[in-house]
Amino acid sequence: YVLADESFVSENNINQVGDTTIYVLSLEDAINISMDNNPQLNASIVKKQNNKAQLDAAKVTKAGYRDVKEIFVSTGYEVNYIKNGYYVHTYENAIKLSDYEYKQIEAQIAFNITEKYFNLKNSEKLLEIAKNSYELVKENYNATSLSYELGLVAKTDLDGANISLLQAEFALATYKDNYEIAKEDFKIALRKNNENCDFVLTSNLSVEDFKTNIDEDLITAENSRYDILSLKSNYELSKEYFELTKLPENTARYTSAYSNYITAEYNFTNNKALILLGVKADYNNIGSTRNNVTLTEQTLGLKKNAYKIAQIKYEQGMITNTELLSALNDVYTSEVEYENAKLKYN
């Protein structure tokens, strides 16, 4: 894998090493690449253009509703809906919603890239930890093997060192595979999966406290989230449609309109409450994951100190090699937990 401090890194963010293209990317760079000519965003633009065309057609139909009365009645449309502008309102709402939908797609793309960017960053770090651990365990095995040949340690110590070495080898192979999968996943997200390329990622996981005003953010969510506004629009249009359905109450058209209206009202009020509750839950999770970062960081410091003490004790013959390896494994485990805690917090 590629490290950020290697000599080929240059200011233009794209480098060539043999037949491999190296992209030096900050998180912002990666998000910009994913937004450029994005099929989802392009589809959203076309959808808005279609809604504008439909709105123009609806306005023409409304203006000349007397002339098309027979056509619309024969196809199941009521002139009352046309005359009162129901279809005009439908497409006006669709155009307004399309702007929020576009922003939501942008946010989803940015979130997706951020997640995959830091997954790759995390995989790279875990691979580095696994390599360091393997080298230390290998060094321990070689020293224990020599000590055993000199009759200084028991066979159980050598067997334990051998098992630890095998475990470190397996872990290293696993993290290598995980890194390659994370890299391929990131390539797909950037639509570069057909390129022979690698990445140097320059942005780091943040461990800064997350500061915000949840009450203000809930209001913002209610007034700007596409999912909430879409539910609200559907409810308002269903209500308008029902109120324009001037038919006897025992007809299928009337009961269907009423059913759609009360269903849309329930979906809007209930799902809005659930969405906003989910926002609150996410804020609570942020707090708990931040606390876990602090906890795992402190634990890592303790385990590193414990390993240093174990090394001294082992050199003085106070503990066995198995106990020393246990202390080393605790450091390795704590390093992994700390990196994963940072990833989850971000």
Side-chain angles (χ1 to χ4, degrees):
Y1 66 102
V2 183
L3 295 176
D5 60 352
E6 295 199 21
S7 59
F8 56 75
V9 177
S10 66
E11 295 180 358
N12 63 7
N13 292 341
I14 301 177
N15 305 271
Q16 200 69 31
V17 178
D19 60 352
T20 302
T21 302
I22 308 297
Y23 293 95
V24 184
L25 302 175
S26 67
L27 176 59
E28 183 180 1
D29 293 331
I31 291 174
N32 288 338
I33 289 173
S34 67
M35 295 288 186
D36 184 36
N37 199 28
N38 185 280
Q40 291 175 283
L41 293 176
N42 291 341
S44 180
I45 292 171
V46 172
K47 182 179 177 181
K48 183 176 181 178
Q49 292 170 343
N50 178 64
N51 286 329
K52 287 181 177 179
Q54 295 282 10
L55 175 60
D56 291 340
K59 287 179 177 178
V60 170
T61 303
K62 179 179 182 294
Y65 74 93
R66 291 184 179 87
D67 299 330
V68 295
K69 179 176 179 180
E70 296 300 324
I71 297 175
F72 277 88
V73 169
S74 67
T75 55
Y77 289 98
E78 296 298 331
V79 175
N80 196 42
Y81 303 142
I82 301 171
K83 181 176 71 173
N84 287 279
Y86 170 76
Y87 298 108
V88 171
H89 300 157
T90 296
Y91 290 111
E92 285 176 341
N93 280 350
I95 290 170
K96 291 178 182 177
L97 283 174
S98 64
D99 291 331
Y100 291 103
E101 183 181 29
Y102 187 89
K103 292 178 181 177
Q104 177 176 279
I105 294 171
E106 281 187 320
Q108 289 173 337
I109 293 170
F111 176 83
N112 183 53
I113 289 297
T114 300
E115 184 177 52
K116 296 180 187 303
Y117 183 99
F118 285 126
N119 276 341
L120 179 55
K121 189 85 174 180
N122 175 258
S123 296
E124 183 180 74
K125 182 63 177 179
L126 294 182
L127 178 55
E128 180 184 338
I129 291 171
K131 284 185 173 182
N132 292 338
S133 177
Y134 171 76
E135 292 300 326
L136 288 172
V137 172
K138 183 179 179 181
E139 181 181 329
N140 177 273
Y141 173 79
N142 291 335
T144 305
S145 179
L146 179 60
S147 296
Y148 176 72
E149 291 175 3
L150 297 174
L152 300 176
V153 298
K155 182 67 162 56
T156 54
D157 280 341
L158 180 61
D159 291 340
N162 184 52
I163 291 173
S164 293
L165 181 59
L166 290 174
Q167 291 173 334
E169 287 176 349
F170 294 150
L172 179 57
T174 298
Y175 282 117
K176 283 181 178 178
D177 291 340
N178 290 345
Y179 172 76
E180 292 301 326
I181 291 171
K183 183 170 70 173
E184 190 63 26
D185 192 34
F186 186 58
K187 287 174 66 175
I188 292 171
L190 293 180
R191 305 191 305 281
K192 295 188 178 296
N193 45 306
N194 293 322
E195 289 188 29
N196 181 17
C197 62
D198 213 328
F199 305 98
V200 175
L201 306 183
T202 60
S203 297
N204 294 315
L205 291 164
S206 171
V207 293
E208 295 180 0
D209 289 335
F210 179 70
K211 298 178 181 179
T212 189
N213 187 314
I214 186 171
D215 294 327
E216 291 180 359
D217 286 350
L218 286 173
I219 293 173
T220 300
E222 186 172 353
N223 294 324
S224 63
R225 281 187 59 143
Y226 170 73
D227 45 7
I228 293 178
L229 295 176
S230 180
L231 289 165
K232 182 180 180 181
S233 176
N234 188 48
Y235 157 63
E236 291 174 343
L237 288 170
S238 297
K239 181 180 180 181
E240 180 182 359
Y241 185 91
F242 169 67
E243 291 174 346
L244 291 172
T245 305
K246 306 297 185 181
L247 297 171
E249 295 187 9
N250 62 347
T251 63
R253 174 67 63 83
Y254 181 91
T255 55
S256 176
Y258 181 64
S259 175
N260 290 338
Y261 162 50
I262 59 175
T263 299
E265 181 180 28
Y266 170 77
N267 287 339
F268 170 54
T269 55
N270 185 67
N271 288 318
K272 182 182 76 169
L274 291 174
I275 290 168
L276 296 179
L277 180 62
V279 173
K280 291 181 181 179
D282 288 340
Y283 274 71
N284 290 337
N285 289 336
I286 290 172
S288 62
T289 54
R290 180 63 184 89
N291 291 337
N292 194 42
V293 170
T294 301
L295 179 62
T296 54
E297 183 179 23
Q298 292 174 348
T299 301
L300 175 58
L302 292 173
K303 295 301 181 182
K304 285 183 175 179
N305 288 333
Y307 176 60
K308 290 179 181 178
I309 294 171
Q311 286 178 303
I312 296 171
K313 286 184 176 181
Y314 177 73
E315 291 171 359
Q316 296 177 351
M318 298 172 64
I319 62 173
T320 64
N321 188 65
T322 300
E323 291 172 302
L324 176 64
L325 286 172
S326 177
L328 175 58
N329 185 65
D330 286 344
V331 172
Y332 165 72
T333 301
S334 295
E335 286 180 322
V336 171
E337 290 176 348
Y338 176 53
E339 293 300 323
N340 287 334
K342 289 195 294 183
L343 177 65
K344 189 173 183 181
Y345 175 61
N346 282 261

